[in-house]
Amino acid sequence: MIEGVKIIALKQIVDERGKIMHMMKSSDDHFKKFGEIYFSCAWPGTIKAWHIHKSMTINNAVISGNAKLVMYDLREKSSTYRELQEIFLGESNYVLVQMPPGIANGYKAYGDKMVILANCATEAHDPNEIIRINPFTDKIPYIWDLNHG
């Protein structure tokens, strides 16, 4: 497990009308602050990677579909520097993944429908705050193939 990453089981309340899917509230122990919330949508097989935030903490939950979220620790002073971590999240595993700044992250949509990934970030989007790297870079030791893992 990468230092500073938290995986929190999320509550769903289901009845005959549908369901409520909790994600985050200000009274949660892991809540830091609110910057913005947005939804990243991806068709099956799509890869959205790599993103590295300089100062923002991100909180991801997949509210529809399923995704493989991959993280790579680029923080030189971290005890898990250069450690890789995968987590499958979505309808089959409804969790919140909280990532501190400095971790390269991205996801691949899988299954048979569009993935909707919610991100409740601690800062509003700033194009100068994020570093983007090609998902197939050789700087991160990861292969996005189905058989990887």
Side-chain angles (χ1 to χ4, degrees):
M1 177 88 118
I2 293 177
E3 178 185 336
V5 171
K6 294 179 182 172
I7 299 170
I8 299 115
L10 295 175
K11 185 177 180 182
Q12 298 185 70
I13 301 168
V14 180
D15 67 21
E16 66 275 4
R17 299 167 297 164
K19 64 182 174 178
I20 292 180
M21 302 169 73
H22 288 265
M23 183 174 168
M24 182 177 282
K25 55 186 177 253
S26 61
S27 59
D28 287 338
D29 290 339
H30 55 274
F31 179 81
K32 295 184 179 296
K33 69 178 188 174
F34 178 78
E36 75 171 348
I37 188 165
Y38 66 85
F39 302 94
S40 174
C41 302
W43 294 112
T46 300
I47 298 167
K48 291 194 172 187
W50 295 101
H51 312 104
I52 305 148
H53 290 282
K54 298 175 188 176
S55 58
M56 178 188 300
T57 294
I58 60 175
N59 296 282
N60 289 330
V62 171
I63 61 170
S64 182
N66 291 290
K68 174 175 62 173
L69 177 68
V70 183
M71 299 168 278
Y72 184 67
D73 194 349
L74 291 171
R75 303 167 299 167
E76 292 181 5
K77 295 182 179 177
S78 169
S79 65
T80 53
Y81 178 55
R82 294 188 176 163
E83 187 173 312
L84 192 69
Q85 183 176 347
E86 287 181 332
I87 181 166
F88 292 85
L89 67 161
E91 294 174 15
S92 59
N93 185 30
Y94 188 54
V95 296
L96 177 80
V97 180
Q98 184 177 75
M99 282 175 267
I103 295 173
N105 67 90
Y107 73 93
K108 182 175 183 177
Y110 70 92
D112 60 357
K113 67 181 188 179
M114 178 181 281
V115 164
I116 302 174
L117 180 143
N119 179 18
C120 184
T122 58
E123 300 174 20
H125 176 72
D126 174 356
N128 297 314
E129 187 276 338
I130 189 170
I131 300 167
R132 297 179 190 277
I133 300 174
N134 183 297
F136 304 106
T137 182
D138 59 358
K139 295 179 177 157
I140 296 175
Y142 191 76
I143 300 168
W144 290 95
D145 293 347
L146 182 63
N147 295 326
H148 180 75

